[in-house]
Amino acid sequence: MNAGLSQHYCRMPYVEKGMVVGLFGGSFNPPHKGHVLVANTALVRLKLDQLWWMVTPGNPLKNLVELAPLHERIAASEELMNNLYICVTAFEEKIHTRYSADTIAYILQHNPGVHFVWIMGADNLASFHHWQNWRQIVKTIPIAVINRFGSEHADISAPMAQTFARFRIPENMSASLALKKAPAWTFIHGRCSELSSSVLRAL
């Protein structure tokens, strides 16, 4: 177990059947207000009962040398929180999943009757086709893409967007996304932040 990590963060947040829950995962290395903007936008536009801010032990697509310890990224995430409906968690550390597809499968298996939606920034949509079993993810869980500065056209250019174009639902129907059967996805426009973790790490 990660040294310095409270056991509280190694458990999945409590949910009840019928709830609508957003899954927002990332390295958050470091977390910043741009991430908070994505989370808050998702909460409002998707009419979520809860959002899980899932701090991953390590992203297989990113350089782990620059990765801050998990407990530090958890603490930094908590410092940014000002919303009771956002739950910071690191339960992937306990279940030992490296890929989002495996994490999603685990969540769905252990929470029957809960409506989950996967949340990602548009910058992740642009590279989503590099993720392990990305097509399976799209076929497993509804996906909400929130626009990010510099990636506003990913909804047209990204391989995932092109491959699953006919399963895209209009933005004005975003509130019903979590109740749709996958594959189903939407692109949500809104206020963007220019902040990025890579830039912050370089400061």
Side-chain angles (χ1 to χ4, degrees), residues 11 14 24 41-42 50 62 67 70 75 80 83 98 101 108 121 124 128 157 159 176 180 184 186 191 197:
R11 295 188 294 269
Y14 175 76
F24 183 36
T41 298
Q50 195 178 100
K62 294 184 178 180
L67 190 65
L70 181 57
L80 287 172
N83 195 316
R98 293 186 65 231
L108 296 180
N124 280 323
F128 188 64
S157 60
S176 65
K180 301 286 185 182
T186 194
R191 191 160 55 92
S197 295

Side-chain angles (χ1 to χ4, degrees), residues 56-61 92 95-106 118 130-133 137:
T56 63
N59 186 330
L61 295 178
E92 286 174 291
I95 65 175
H96 304 296
T97 53
R98 293 186 65 231
Y99 299 105
S100 296
D102 296 331
T103 297
I104 292 169
Y106 184 93
W118 187 260
H130 294 301
W131 291 27
Q132 183 89 350
N133 298 327
I137 293 174

Side-chain angles (χ1 to χ4, degrees), residues 28-128:
F28 300 112
N29 185 43
H32 53 71
K33 291 183 178 180
H35 293 135
V36 176
L37 183 58
V38 168
N40 286 331
T41 298
L43 273 168
V44 174
R45 299 290 295 277
L46 300 172
K47 305 296 183 185
L48 302 177
D49 295 308
Q50 195 178 100
L51 180 141
W52 294 3
W53 178 292
M54 302 189 303
V55 185
T56 63
N59 186 330
L61 295 178
K62 294 184 178 180
N63 184 0
L64 299 183
V65 174
E66 297 181 341
L67 190 65
L70 181 57
H71 70 276
E72 291 183 6
R73 289 179 283 128
I74 284 283
S77 296
E78 288 284 25
E79 288 181 6
L80 287 172
M81 289 301 105
N82 59 356
N83 195 316
L84 295 176
Y85 298 100
I86 297 178
C87 302
V88 176
T89 180
F91 69 89
E92 286 174 291
E93 170 74 4
K94 182 176 181 179
I95 65 175
H96 304 296
T97 53
R98 293 186 65 231
Y99 299 105
S100 296
D102 296 331
T103 297
I104 292 169
Y106 184 93
I107 291 171
L108 296 180
Q109 179 183 352
H110 288 81
N111 296 279
V114 179
H115 304 288
F116 289 100
V117 57
W118 187 260
I119 297 161
M120 69 170 77
D123 51 335
N124 280 323
L125 175 62
S127 60
F128 188 64

Side-chain angles (χ1 to χ4, degrees), residues 125-178:
L125 175 62
S127 60
F128 188 64
H129 58 290
H130 294 301
W131 291 27
Q132 183 89 350
N133 298 327
W134 67 275
R135 288 182 176 85
Q136 185 59 37
I137 293 174
V138 181
K139 295 175 182 178
T140 300
I141 188 172
I143 296 174
V145 183
I146 314 297
N147 69 319
R148 289 289 306 273
F149 181 81
S151 301
E152 294 89 345
H153 302 297
D155 61 323
I156 298 173
S157 60
M160 179 283 219
Q162 295 174 354
T163 302
F164 291 93
R166 69 188 182 95
F167 297 103
R168 180 176 180 176
I169 71 169
E171 185 175 351
N172 61 8
M173 295 177 61
S174 298
S176 65
L177 177 65

